[in-house]
Amino acid sequence: MITRRALGLGAIMSGVTGTLMWRLRDMQLDQADAFRLLAEENRINLRLLPPTRGLIHDRNGVLLASNEQNYRVVMTRDDAGDIDLVLARLQQLIGLEDDTLARARADMLRNRPFVPVTVAERLTWEDISRVAANAPALPGVTPEMGLSRLYPLQADMAHVVGYVGPVSDRDLAGEERPDPVLLIPRFQIGKTGVERAEESRLRGKAGSQRVEVNSVGRVMRELDRVEGEQGENMHLTIDARLQNYALERLEGQSAAAVVLDVNTGDILAAASAPSYDANLFVRGISSKDYNGLLENEYRPLVNKCVQGMYPPGSTFKMVTALAALEAAETDGRERVFCPGHMDVSGNRFHCWKRAGHGRVDLVSALAESCDVYFYEMSQRCGIDRINAMSERLGLGLRYDLPMTSVASGLNPSREWKKRSRDADWRIGDTVNVSIGQGYVLTTPMQLAVMTARLASNRAVLPRLLRDPLERSLPEAASLDLRPEWLEMVRRGMTRVVNDRRGTAYSSRVVDPTMAMAGKTGTSQVFRITQAERDSGIRRQEDLPWNRRNHALFVNYAPIDNPQVAVAVIVEHGGGGSTAAAPIGRDILLAALNEGRPPLAAYPTSQRNRISAEQSEMDDRLRDLRSFRVSRA
Amino acid sequence: MSYLEYNTQRMPRGAAKMLHLNWALVVLLVAVACYGFVMLYSVAGGSAQPWMQPQMQRFGVGLLLMIAVAMIPIWFWRSMSGLAYCVTALLLLGVEFFGAVGMGAQRWLEIGPLRLQPSELAKITTIMALAAFYDWADMKKISRPAHVFAAAVIVLLPVLLVVRQPDLGTALLIAAAGGAVIFAAGVHWGYFAGVIGSAIGLVVTVVSSRGTEWQLLKDYQYRRIDAFLDPTLDPLGAGYHINQAMIALGSGGWSGRGFMEGTQSRLNFLPEKHTDFIFTTLAEEFGFIGAGSLLVLYLMILGFCLLTVLRSSNRFAALLAIGVTANFFLYFAVNTAMVMGLAPVVGVPLPLISYGGSAMMVLMVAFGLLQSAHVHRPRLPT
């Protein structure tokens, strides 16, 4: 009996073992490929390698935007288990702020559990080594190294270069098929300025990496990698040294200054004061800092060079003069009597000089900035010709610049008024426009372009990017203004600065190799009431800041062979000759002398004061030698 | 037939007994253990620590223990059966009241420096007690209800105590091995039909009790059942381990991915890779050649064990050998079926290969008993 049953049991056991063998054969031989594939899927992860962003240089190779090593700690909720415990240990280890932890915790809970979230960035090497050494106690925490944008010149280039920031949902919404690199957590793209406008060139192409991961997703080794393409390096026309000087010269004001090469249109400097440190935005600006920038009445976030639109005031008078000359309504030598005011269709238009200028021709009208002369000329030639000349000199155009929110200004015309105001153009409108008031609005960039065109008789357009390999500088097409007209306008501008009666005589340059021509402008922000006029014109200093006049100054030099043109506006600065002209002169001299105005160029009587000002400023100016890098 | 009927004149005596050991079986056991050493070295990432070296020491001790047990005459073991069974029952009761809790279950008993797992002990002593019972009983009466009831009590007492720990896997294996002994003794097949029928009924009851007040199993046991029935249902939860195990096993192919090259085990996708899931690492790294040859070795061990059974005319020895054989078979069959997705994930080690002290010792003692039966088998008068 036992034998029989034992044999029966033996048969059952052999049968079961045979079945197991069959199953093994089935899995390992017939289905091996399918399981092999699953095993590979298990262990191999494809990762994107963020490309290295292109560098941005100034015209001399100074680094304006670079990339720095950034050590950070990334955490994945799935692998961490008890995230509070792990975060608490992390805090103990590298001393993180409570709100950093709270933000990381919220990030993790908001995202899907396997999405890595950056807990802390910009850690020191010591901190990151400590995290790596304590890895077993910190499940789900990975120390990582990446590149982060750095703006070595901090505030100097904020408005031009702009800044980068993490990809937002809005950035993604704009793209039909977003570059997969944008989905890398915390990937940074250009938000403003050149960084945004040239994003596609600066970004480069992502590489990819196949890594072997273990069951909790930790990378064990790299299997292979395809290197991405580094972003293109950019070379700007800006001279960082001049930009630094201009911004420091505008310190304390709400102001803007643009410096152009009159022949090529290269933007040598575009300073908008006050500025801000673009690095704050890269690192994630605190709401306190951000609100501080937003609420500042000097509007530091706005790039006033291209976004700020101001009535050009008397700096517009060259346009009116050329329009009248072109219309042959005057030969320029003809004299017009200025009694201090002019009545046009029942309204009285005043000259800034109550007593009047007497008899003035075109040159002296520009030099002394007589308003009545231009009232007269504008009525003769009409708004259409002024509008055409204005456009010819580059006003009212939106320049194609890689900057944020480039404004077109306003070059008013009959059609424009009909269209936007549904009203007919009146003669009074023309009279207002003739001295750069009324509807006309310009940006500092446009005024600089106008000045450059007057100085060179070329249709220069501003440009910010340059090809570092270009050999001969491209010259703009001729503007075809008749030389004798230009000669008269330039003579007027020369006398503004160099004639005893000129409005900017106190800002003259005595060195003949840097002799300067210019034009002051003072534009009203609020209409002067009749009551104020009767009670005697109130002094600008007595008005609240935001009711004071804008001060403008445009200039170029040297007179006989113009090289650079400058436009300066000081918001609510009072008067062009007092507030803007000295700044315009200093920046122009700096542009002609590698960023530092020589004392010898100033009139002897002013040198003591200027010298004191310069030595005070020298402390603040950057020594750019340490930032200079050899060009590739 | 009692031990007095042995022709003691023909029994090998003293050191000569060594020559009468079933050496082929010893060689097979050593061969299987060597598979284990290689795998423990591999899953430790190419290191003798922490598993391979202790395992080798234990196996060495186990071999000596096996030989020692084999030297002692089988009739001594028969007379010890009752006592051993009672001690085991007391130890199981001790676990019930004083046991240490590990892995969510009370399994160990700390006696001084010793850590005892009485459920392992119960595997042998239950078989011994049953074999002794049938040796004592009148063979003509064993199919009577009273006798069947007595045998059932012998099996169910330890089984119930183990279930309460709770260790369902071990309990089921003790019951199955006991059943094999009762079956081999010659009890009427109708009882087995009845037991199997009621087992099916029990399964239905257990499954339907889920989620009710009188739920019979713990939640994790239900989840294991679910994962067993459909591992793809929850690949990251209950079914994760079995899925990963099957991937590892299947990806081995014909010749495997190479020693220490198994990605599933090296990258920690496998759970318990040094204990219950060690077969998957073997199959992954050495493929069908490695895993299949291990099954062949197991089958050969079964064959030699059955040979011992057939050659024992003594009923105690034969039934004890049957029990040991069935126990061994159940272990490797359930373990491999589990990792191949044919059986639920229960904590059953792969015999002689999985890392673990208690199970190894108990298994070697069991083989010692079988060897004792072999050495002290009746020989034809010359």
Side-chain angles (χ1 to χ4, degrees):
Chain A
M1 187 55 138
I2 289 182
T3 305
R4 208 157 16 112
R5 290 261 167 119
L7 284 173
L9 282 173
I12 292 170
M13 291 178 193
S14 308
V16 170
T17 311
T19 311
L20 292 173
M21 202 75 156
W22 186 259
R23 169 75 168 174
L24 190 66
R25 196 206 66 87
D26 180 54
M27 285 174 74
Q28 293 203 291
L29 302 186
D30 292 354
Q31 299 183 52
D33 292 341
F35 282 118
R36 186 72 58 101
L37 196 70
L38 288 172
E40 295 296 287
E41 277 175 12
N42 251 349
R43 81 180 173 110
I44 293 171
N45 259 4
L46 190 69
R47 302 193 164 197
L48 282 177
L49 297 171
T52 307
R53 198 172 175 82
L55 305 176
I56 302 177
H57 300 276
D58 89 334
R59 66 186 299 117
N60 299 314
V62 174
L63 213 47
L64 306 179
S66 62
N67 303 307
E68 63 170 346
Q69 306 274 33
N70 174 14
Y71 298 108
R72 54 176 180 255
V73 168
V74 178
M75 186 165 161
T76 314
R77 169 153 64 102
D78 231 4
D79 305 335
D82 184 350
I83 60 172
D84 290 324
L85 177 73
V86 175
L87 283 175
R89 283 189 191 150
L90 203 59
Q91 185 177 31
Q92 218 173 18
L93 203 63
I94 56 176
L96 298 169
E97 303 278 333
D98 282 341
D99 35 320
T100 310
L101 291 188
R103 186 190 51 77
R105 196 174 177 282
D107 270 6
M108 259 183 282
L109 294 178
R110 198 176 51 235
N111 278 306
R112 283 178 295 176
F114 56 83
V115 173
V117 163
T118 305
V119 179
E121 282 193 284
R122 277 161 232 287
L123 298 171
T124 61
W125 174 247
E126 286 74 34
D127 281 344
I128 213 79
S129 332
R130 233 174 287 158
V131 171
N134 289 283
L138 300 167
V141 173
T142 337
E144 275 186 4
M145 195 201 71
L147 290 175
S148 176
R149 204 63 157 165
L150 178 71
Y151 302 106
L153 303 188
Q154 291 154 338
D156 285 10
M157 304 301 301
H159 293 117
V160 178
V161 170
Y163 54 83
V164 296
V167 181
S168 69
D169 292 341
R170 228 178 61 200
D171 296 327
L172 286 175
E175 301 195 30
E176 188 72 22
R177 283 184 54 206
D179 187 344
V181 77
L182 297 181
L183 303 174
I184 296 176
R186 294 234 162 180
F187 186 76
Q188 295 189 315
I189 61 168
K191 296 290 186 178
T192 63
V194 173
E195 293 273 31
R196 182 194 174 100
E198 297 297 321
E199 170 66 25
S200 56
R201 288 164 72 193
L202 284 165
R203 187 190 296 164
K205 287 204 169 60
S208 62
Q209 178 193 32
R210 290 198 317 141
V211 291
E212 187 177 83
V213 295
N214 70 5
S215 58
V216 292
R218 200 175 285 272
V219 176
M220 305 306 280
R221 65 187 167 128
E222 183 178 287
L223 298 173
D224 55 42
R225 73 157 61 200
V226 180
E227 288 297 339
E229 262 174 58
Q230 193 189 336
E232 234 180 290
N233 291 344
M234 294 281 144
H235 296 265
L236 303 190
T237 57
I238 299 276
D239 179 344
R241 197 168 142 97
L242 181 63
Q243 173 84 3
N244 178 236
Y245 178 87
L247 205 58
E248 288 301 339
R249 186 63 187 82
L250 299 177
E251 169 72 25
Q253 315 261 26
S254 177
V258 176
V259 184
L260 291 183
D261 181 314
V262 299
N263 296 309
T264 61
D266 281 1
I267 301 171
L268 301 176
S272 176
S275 188
Y276 57 91
D277 186 353
N279 293 307
L280 288 178
F281 284 86
V282 182
R283 289 165 198 180
I285 191 166
S286 71
S287 58
K288 181 171 151 285
D289 286 351
Y290 188 62
N291 285 333
L293 290 173
L294 275 183
E295 284 159 16
N296 188 331
E297 64 176 347
Y298 283 10
R299 295 174 298 147
L301 292 175
V302 173
N303 180 4
K304 298 182 184 99
C305 297
V306 294
Q307 282 174 260
M309 298 197 288
Y310 310 92
S314 301
T315 57
F316 191 78
K317 285 175 180 166
M318 284 81 83
V319 178
T320 312
L322 281 169
L325 286 168
E326 192 188 42
E329 294 294 348
T330 180
D331 58 4
R333 285 176 292 278
E334 173 203 4
R335 288 165 172 247
V336 171
F337 181 73
C338 166
H341 59 85
M342 177 184 256
D343 294 320
V344 182
S345 59
N347 287 318
R348 173 158 288 193
F349 291 84
H350 290 270
C351 185
W352 67 269
K353 196 168 175 183
R354 303 264 317 177
H357 288 89
R359 296 170 69 80
V360 287
D361 63 4
L362 190 144
V363 173
S364 58
L366 279 173
E368 295 166 41
S369 205
C370 173
D371 292 337
V372 170
Y373 180 87
F374 294 96
Y375 296 154
E376 171 66 26
M377 290 303 149
S378 67
Q379 289 173 71
R380 289 193 200 169
C381 68
I383 184 64
D384 297 342
R385 287 177 190 279
I386 292 176
N387 175 270
M389 181 54 69
S390 183
E391 189 171 322
R392 202 159 159 194
L393 289 173
L395 303 182
L397 302 178
R398 178 180 279 116
Y399 304 129
D400 181 22
L401 285 173
M403 290 175 139
T404 303
S405 314
V406 179
S408 61
L410 179 55
N411 180 15
S413 64
R414 290 178 204 277
E415 298 76 49
W416 167 81
K417 191 173 178 190
K418 189 85 198 155
R419 200 171 57 242
S420 64
R421 300 284 164 105
D422 196 22
D424 286 329
W425 189 268
R426 293 163 180 276
I427 190 69
D429 296 332
T430 308
V431 172
N432 268 328
V433 165
S434 72
I435 59 158
Q437 293 285 162
Y439 297 124
V440 62
L441 289 172
T442 58
T443 64
M445 184 63 71
Q446 288 171 335
L447 290 177
V449 168
M450 175 192 80
T451 313
R453 289 185 175 194
L454 289 172
S456 65
N457 195 14
R458 292 186 181 283
V460 289
L461 280 170
R463 60 168 205 160
L464 188 56
L465 299 179
R466 63 195 287 270
D467 177 358
L469 300 175
E470 73 191 0
R471 305 223 171 262
S472 57
L473 298 171
E475 285 208 334
S478 170
L479 208 56
D480 275 338
L481 288 170
R482 231 181 261 172
E484 55 264 36
W485 305 339
L486 270 180
E487 196 270 333
M488 266 188 280
V489 169
R490 287 172 184 166
R491 196 140 47 87
M493 291 176 73
T494 305
R495 279 177 55 186
V496 166
V497 183
N498 297 296
D499 189 290
R500 219 163 259 289
R501 280 185 293 173
T503 50
Y505 180 66
S506 60
S507 295
R508 65 196 176 279
V509 172
V510 295
D511 187 333
T513 62
M514 299 172 219
M516 174 177 99
K519 181 73 193 81
T520 57
T522 304
S523 61
Q524 273 171 230
V525 184
F526 285 89
R527 180 173 286 277
I528 300 167
T529 61
Q530 191 59 44
E532 281 170 340
R533 212 175 280 278
D534 291 344
S535 66
I537 293 172
R538 289 173 60 180
R539 291 175 55 212
Q540 286 286 313
E541 292 77 15
D542 300 336
L543 290 168
W545 176 77
N546 63 5
R547 289 179 65 98
R548 291 180 205 161
N549 294 335
H550 292 319
L552 298 98
F553 189 63
V554 298
N555 54 341
Y556 67 87
I559 290 170
D560 38 354
N561 178 27
Q563 296 299 321
V564 289
V566 178
V568 171
I569 171 151
V570 180
E571 284 190 352
H572 309 294
S577 54
T578 52
I583 297 176
R585 171 177 65 173
D586 288 351
I587 292 175
L588 185 91
L589 288 173
L592 291 173
N593 294 281
E594 298 191 331
R596 297 289 185 277
L599 202 56
Y602 294 94
T604 333
S605 58
Q606 298 173 11
R607 285 188 195 160
N608 283 341
R609 180 174 57 80
I610 298 284
S611 171
E613 277 175 18
Q614 281 187 354
S615 62
E616 185 267 325
M617 226 174 111
D618 275 344
D619 300 337
R620 289 187 278 136
L621 289 177
R622 241 176 247 287
D623 181 5
L624 284 174
R625 274 169 304 187
S626 54
F627 294 103
R628 204 162 292 249
V629 294
S630 58
R631 227 172 295 171
Chain B
M1 199 161 55
S2 80
Y3 65 89
L4 291 173
E5 293 165 46
Y6 274 104
N7 184 344
T8 47
Q9 292 292 324
R10 303 207 185 177
M11 281 293 130
R13 287 166 181 280
K17 285 183 182 178
M18 288 291 285
L19 298 173
H20 289 84
L21 280 176
N22 189 343
W23 282 104
L25 185 59
V26 176
V27 169
L28 285 171
L29 295 180
V30 172
V32 170
C34 285
Y35 271 71
F37 302 150
V38 170
M39 291 329 296
L40 288 175
Y41 182 80
S42 171
V43 294
S47 159
Q49 297 294 345
W51 298 312
M52 185 185 92
Q53 204 197 336
Q55 180 85 344
M56 287 174 104
Q57 287 164 355
R58 282 192 200 128
F59 182 67
V61 173
L63 269 182
L64 294 176
L65 206 58
M66 179 183 85
I67 291 168
V69 170
M71 294 298 104
I72 295 166
I74 189 74
W75 46 85
F76 170 78
W77 292 119
R78 199 198 67 159
S79 54
M80 291 304 290
S81 298
L83 183 63
Y85 182 79
C86 291
V87 169
T88 307
L90 283 175
L91 287 174
L92 283 172
L93 280 171
V95 168
E96 180 77 25
F97 295 110
F98 312 109
V101 176
M103 311 276 287
Q106 291 176 311
R107 288 178 190 177
W108 289 281
L109 202 58
E110 313 248 358
I111 304 168
L114 275 176
R115 233 149 77 106
L116 208 68
Q117 217 172 323
S119 59
E120 290 289 334
L121 217 53
K123 288 174 192 165
I124 319 183
T125 53
T126 308
I127 291 165
M128 285 171 76
L130 272 179
F133 170 71
Y134 283 115
D135 194 44
W136 165 82
D138 181 351
M139 282 308 278
K140 295 190 184 73
K141 295 178 182 167
I142 56 168
S143 287
R144 290 185 183 173
H147 280 70
V148 175
F149 180 75
V153 168
I154 291 172
V155 178
L156 290 180
L157 176 68
V159 166
L160 290 177
L161 285 171
V162 173
V163 164
R164 281 188 57 82
Q165 286 184 356
D167 186 353
L168 190 65
T170 305
L172 285 174
L173 291 194
I174 293 171
V181 174
I182 297 172
F183 177 76
V187 174
H188 194 272
W189 61 268
Y191 288 104
F192 296 93
V195 167
I196 290 167
S198 43
I200 291 168
L202 182 70
V203 167
V204 172
T205 320
V206 162
V207 169
S208 61
S209 79
R210 185 176 191 179
T212 61
E213 299 240 332
W214 47 282
Q215 183 166 313
L216 292 171
L217 298 180
K218 298 241 169 173
D219 279 340
Y220 81 93
Q221 288 166 325
Y222 279 112
R223 280 199 296 276
R224 281 180 176 181
I225 292 170
D226 287 344
F228 162 64
L229 293 176
D230 187 3
T232 55
L233 203 68
D234 182 13
L236 290 177
Y240 179 79
H241 288 162
I242 198 67
N243 247 338
Q244 295 299 339
M246 286 171 70
I247 290 171
L249 201 131
S251 65
W254 173 253
S255 57
R257 315 205 67 173
F259 182 48
M260 306 216 297
E261 295 290 324
T263 58
Q264 288 285 104
S265 38
R266 197 162 44 73
L267 299 171
N268 275 330
F269 286 99
L270 293 178
E272 306 279 341
K273 57 186 179 183
H274 62 293
T275 58
D276 294 356
F277 282 76
I278 197 163
F279 186 71
T280 54
T281 309
L282 172 75
E284 186 186 25
E285 299 193 346
F286 295 105
F288 184 67
I289 296 174
S293 64
L294 180 67
L295 286 182
V296 169
L297 285 180
Y298 277 142
L299 203 57
M300 286 166 76
I301 291 176
L302 285 184
F304 278 100
C305 289
L306 277 176
L307 221 57
T308 302
V309 173
L310 297 179
R311 286 158 92 175
S312 316
S313 49
N314 173 276
R315 206 186 303 145
F316 173 74
L319 288 178
L320 180 61
I322 287 257
V324 169
T325 312
N327 183 51
F328 178 73
F329 162 77
L330 285 167
Y331 269 71
F332 85 77
V334 169
N335 179 276
T336 51
M338 167 181 95
V339 298
M340 284 191 277
L342 294 175
V345 179
V346 287
V348 174
L350 190 62
L352 296 171
I353 293 187
S354 286
Y355 180 78
S358 284
M360 167 85 89
M361 290 302 159
V362 167
L363 196 66
M364 294 311 279
V365 167
F367 277 115
L369 292 171
L370 192 132
Q371 291 276 23
S372 173
H374 184 81
V375 170
H376 302 100
R377 69 185 183 274
R379 286 161 172 80
L380 291 175
T382 45

